[in-house]
Amino acid sequence: MRLGERGEGYVVGQFALLGLLVLALWVTPSFSPPWLGVLLLAAWQLGRNLTALPKPRPGGYLVQQGLYRVVRHPIYCGVLLWALGSSLAHLNLWTLLLCGLLFVWLDRKASLEETWLQERFPEYSAYRQRVKKLIPWVY
């Protein structure tokens, strides 16, 4: 399921789930700087390859350094850290459910992205064997 030629539907769904989660947490907001640091550092390390779409940019290159040595999708990891941390801080069933849905959504989006990365970069297969997808050293 691609949801658009470049995976646009995944971006829409991702932001819809994030929006719902933010709304659910709005009553008792919390701030957790570590997830923001992960997001910003991963985005900086990705450089000109950065895009919200799962389809890699034309002329891009494979990043395997920095946070990308620990997890293949550190931006998604940072988003999930925020979602889970905020949900656990509020102990709210709805936010935990949304966090779970967000995990499944980002996992599927990452799988589509990896299909395209594998097509473009032959070395991606070896990278995929070495580095976990969303949770460092676990998954």
Side-chain angles (χ1 to χ4, degrees):
M1 177 166 79
R2 288 188 178 205
L3 298 175
E5 189 172 309
R6 294 175 36 215
E8 296 90 341
Y10 280 97
V11 175
V12 171
Q14 169 187 334
F15 284 107
L17 286 169
L18 284 170
L20 288 172
L21 192 55
V22 167
L23 284 174
L25 294 168
W26 189 19
V27 177
T28 52
S30 65
F31 181 73
S32 178
W35 68 265
L36 184 60
V38 170
L39 289 174
L40 293 176
L41 182 58
W44 178 73
Q45 290 174 343
L46 201 53
R48 64 182 171 93
N49 291 314
L50 183 64
T51 177
L53 298 170
K55 188 156 195 170
R57 289 186 184 270
Y61 53 92
L62 183 60
V63 176
Q64 300 181 56
Q65 307 87 287
L67 293 176
Y68 293 85
R69 293 175 81 185
V70 180
V71 65
R72 295 193 310 261
H73 302 276
I75 294 175
Y76 298 163
C77 179
V79 168
L80 292 168
L81 280 173
W82 165 77
L84 181 61
S86 298
S87 296
L88 290 175
H90 298 325
L91 292 176
N92 180 313
L93 181 61
W94 292 110
T95 59
L96 287 170
L97 176 64
L98 288 168
C99 182
L101 288 172
L102 181 63
F103 178 85
V104 170
W105 192 263
L106 290 178
D107 184 48
R108 292 189 63 140
K109 181 182 176 191
S111 293
L112 175 60
E113 184 175 342
E114 291 188 338
T115 298
W116 283 320
L117 287 167
Q118 182 66 50
E119 289 171 2
R120 183 166 299 164
F121 305 106
E123 66 271 27
Y124 193 80
S125 184
Y127 172 63
R128 194 175 183 176
Q129 295 285 323
R130 285 191 323 272
V131 179
K132 298 295 183 182
K133 186 177 187 179
L134 292 172
I135 303 169
W137 306 289
V138 177
Y139 175 77

